[in-house]
Amino acid sequence: MMMTTTVLNLIDGSFAPARGGATISIYNPATSELVGTAPDSTAHDVEAAVEAATNAFAAWSALAPAQRAAHLHALANLVERDIDTFARAESIDTGKPLALARSVDIPRAIANLRFFADAVCDSHVEQFANEHARSVVHRRALGVAACISPWNLPLYLFTWKIAPALASGCTVVGKPSEITPVTAWMLAQRSIEAGFPRGVLNIVNGRGPLCGAALVAHPRVACITFTGGTVTGETIARTAAPAFKRVALELGGKNPTIVFADAVRSDRLTQTVHGVARAAFTNQGQVCHCGSRILIERSAWETFVPALVERARALRIGDPLDAATDVGSLISLQHVMRVAAAVDGAIRDGGRALCGGSRVDPSLLPAATRAGAFYPPTLIEGLPPSAKANQEEIFGPVATLIPFADEAEAVAIANGTRFGLSASVWTSDPSRAQRIASQLDCGTVWINSWMVRDLRAPIGGMHASGLGREGGREALHFFAEPVVVVTHETPE
Ligand code: NDP
């Protein structure tokens, strides 16, 4: 019998249940076991958290960047000390393979804390001088930042938001997804151990439309950084607009993976197949950057498609805690139903599933995971670019295969959705890669790779994929208001 976790809110340096006492159950989606409870917070709890963050702001923003950075490094050290505990908790909370949590999610959370701590120390005051005046750009922290993160990469994205906010001098009220609150709770505990001043980092747990909405609407919240679905992003932008709150929205994607024939010649085939499968199925396809539309040059189809199908079938589905597992469980049984409905719709629209296409037979799964939320890697061919499965995000291990004749058609199909988050281009011709990249309407284009990141580079999307950019200088600037002080230079 697994021990259960009681997640609490962190408000003004103390841990507390929701004021009304209500809780939300937390399940391990790979087993459907109850693994804990979290506060079902309301506007009362949000009020207390915002008040604490407001009171802490003057002192925190007045610290030298190096002093704020020292707190972030201390927190990063504690996450690193407990990395195995964090990784296991993340795997149990999300169903993602433990190996992925241990090698990507938690190391990246540590890197986020360290990166923004160092970045704020490295930032310089901009100055411009001409014959009339000297203009100095001071960046003044905005105030209380609301940091709202989703369930797919819980600690990875939570720290991606709170680290630049805190480094810039804002105080924070964070709201993790109600489905995956455990690692943010562990972080809350480590923040006390790291000696964070009270009220600087507050975390409220609860349901999005209740607790999250109250946070977004709170008059003393100066800015909102949000990662999640496009519909929620629209709601947040609408709520924030009348008060002119600054908003950064990282939303969904329907990202193209563009495969040219020169990338599937015998010397490159395996590398391309593995890369494309990784882009489609990492984290069970629940990454906003997953390449869920695979565009294939017609002349490469006969070579590439069977090899990709073979690779998808070879991925091992199973217990996320087993080191040999490639594909863990989806986030919930409800989400499996949503993914299954989207695939059924694609088949009704004329698509053919070349692998996967229906729920995993539980008798094929390890005994402990038979009640889990598993769905197999699925590849669907035969749909026009305008089909729903080629236009709407499914956010599961499902990718469609679309043929193209030439570069112009590839670019037209790639740009032919309402999204614009990212793309990957697979070719052995470097000039073609750059030519295609320059025509794609999205925030990031990977060449012969996927999700390779330099945290100094901005990341984010166009159109329905969001507003603003995170990462590097962009993120630090988001949390601060530039105030220009102009000194008139009088001639001697
Ligand atoms: P949601 O939009 O449902 O939720 C994201 C966060 O917002 C959660 O903490 C949620 O709380 C909260 N929330 C929900 N409704 C409101 C509201 N009205 N006001 C304030 N907060 C609210 O997304 P999911 O958690 O389902 O995440 C999956 C989505 O995130 C996918 O569509 C994916 O594309 C997108 N995503 C985008 C990324 C990007 O960088 N562009 C990265 C990762 C994911 P609760 O969970 O309690 O409902």
Side-chain angles (χ1 to χ4, degrees):
M1 186 70 187
M2 184 170 281
M3 290 232 309
T4 58
T5 305
T6 303
V7 171
L8 297 172
N9 290 334
L10 169 62
I11 299 177
D12 205 16
S14 300
F15 303 132
R19 220 160 102 174
T23 58
I24 297 171
S25 300
I26 314 165
Y27 295 94
N28 175 348
T31 61
S32 292
E33 268 180 303
L34 182 75
V35 290
T37 59
D40 190 358
S41 305
T42 65
H44 291 299
D45 305 287
V46 169
E47 179 62 41
V50 175
E51 189 184 339
T54 306
N55 293 341
F57 175 67
W60 180 251
S61 59
L63 290 180
Q67 291 173 296
R68 294 196 296 269
H71 284 291
L72 289 170
H73 278 299
L75 185 56
N77 291 345
L78 294 178
V79 180
E80 192 156 47
R81 180 194 71 191
D82 299 336
I83 188 166
D84 291 322
T85 318
F86 270 92
R88 194 177 164 82
E90 200 72 298
S91 172
I92 290 171
D93 219 11
T94 57
K96 72 175 66 205
L98 174 59
L100 185 68
R102 179 65 179 77
S103 63
V104 175
D105 289 70
I106 309 303
R108 185 47 201 283
I110 297 165
N112 290 340
L113 295 167
R114 292 201 195 293
F115 171 77
F116 286 108
D118 293 339
V120 77
C121 294
D122 288 346
S123 39
H124 301 289
V125 174
E126 282 171 289
Q127 299 200 37
F128 308 99
N130 60 22
E131 64 272 37
H132 311 296
R134 186 163 49 89
S135 303
V136 181
V137 185
H138 298 275
R139 296 200 182 260
R140 201 181 282 171
L142 289 178
V144 178
C147 299
I148 303 177
S149 53
W151 47 256
N152 59 336
L153 306 167
L155 195 68
Y156 175 134
L157 289 173
F158 191 68
T159 50
W160 183 235
K161 297 182 176 306
I162 67 162
L166 293 169
S168 304
C170 287
T171 51
V172 163
V173 179
K175 199 209 85 65
S177 168
E178 73 191 61
I179 307 172
T180 54
V182 174
T183 48
W185 160 236
M186 293 167 64
L187 192 77
Q189 294 169 297
R190 301 316 180 273
S191 75
I192 299 297
E193 193 181 342
F196 267 57
R198 46 188 271 222
V200 165
L201 172 63
N202 305 273
I203 301 177
V204 285
N205 291 277
R207 287 171 284 147
L210 187 68
C211 168
L215 181 58
V216 170
H218 197 291
R220 286 203 302 278
V221 164
C223 60
I224 301 132
T225 168
F226 167 82
T227 296
T230 298
V231 173
T232 314
E234 280 174 31
T235 307
I236 288 175
R238 230 178 281 124
T239 307
F244 304 104
K245 292 182 187 179
R246 198 175 286 183
V247 175
L249 303 172
E250 297 283 326
L251 309 176
K254 193 71 194 173
N255 312 302
T257 298
I258 306 174
V259 181
F260 285 95
D262 59 16
V264 307
R265 287 194 306 249
S266 57
D267 58 327
R268 299 181 71 105
L269 180 63
T270 304
Q271 183 195 338
T272 302
V273 164
H274 280 239
V276 171
R278 196 176 144 259
F281 301 128
T282 293
N283 204 39
Q284 299 70 246
Q286 302 167 131
V287 179
C288 52
H289 290 284
C290 273
S292 56
R293 290 183 298 149
I294 305 172
L295 281 49
I296 303 154
E297 191 169 6
R298 267 183 210 287
S299 58
W301 192 276
E302 292 304 318
T303 311
F304 180 70
V305 173
L308 184 65
V309 169
E310 191 185 326
R311 175 70 190 150
R313 287 201 174 118
L315 292 172
R316 201 167 142 169
I317 306 169
D319 184 348
L321 298 178
D322 181 339
T325 293
D326 299 306
V327 179
S329 94
L330 271 59
I331 193 65
S332 64
L333 290 169
Q334 294 92 307
H335 194 49
V336 169
M337 302 305 281
R338 279 195 290 269
V339 169
V343 171
D344 293 349
I347 307 295
R348 274 198 306 279
D349 287 345
R352 284 176 300 282
L354 302 181
C355 56
S358 59
R359 286 188 63 177
V360 177
D361 176 354
S363 69
L364 301 176
L365 291 166
T369 60
R370 290 204 180 130
F374 292 88
Y375 199 90
T378 296
L379 293 166
I380 300 173
E381 66 165 2
L383 291 166
S386 59
K388 191 172 175 193
N390 282 325
Q391 293 292 322
E392 294 302 324
E393 189 181 42
I394 296 174
F395 218 56
V398 179
T400 53
L401 308 178
I402 309 171
F404 67 84
D406 54 23
E407 287 185 14
E409 193 183 15
V411 169
I413 296 171
N415 287 340
T417 74
R418 69 192 175 113
F419 296 103
L421 190 58
S422 61
S424 68
V425 180
W426 300 79
T427 175
S428 59
D429 178 346
S431 54
R432 163 186 273 162
Q434 298 303 326
R435 196 162 57 239
I436 300 289
S438 70
Q439 298 173 76
L440 293 174
D441 286 337
C442 58
T444 305
V445 181
W446 283 286
I447 312 291
N448 297 321
S449 62
W450 179 72
M451 282 299 270
V452 180
R453 289 276 290 118
D454 184 321
L455 301 189
R456 290 171 297 185
I459 194 159
M462 301 177 182
H463 316 306
S465 291
L467 196 65
R469 293 290 184 275
E470 294 185 302
R473 206 181 306 131
E474 254 88 354
L476 292 175
H477 286 184
F478 173 79
F479 293 103
E481 196 71 82
V483 176
V484 183
V485 178
V486 184
T487 309
H488 183 58
E489 302 283 328
T490 38
E492 304 246 317

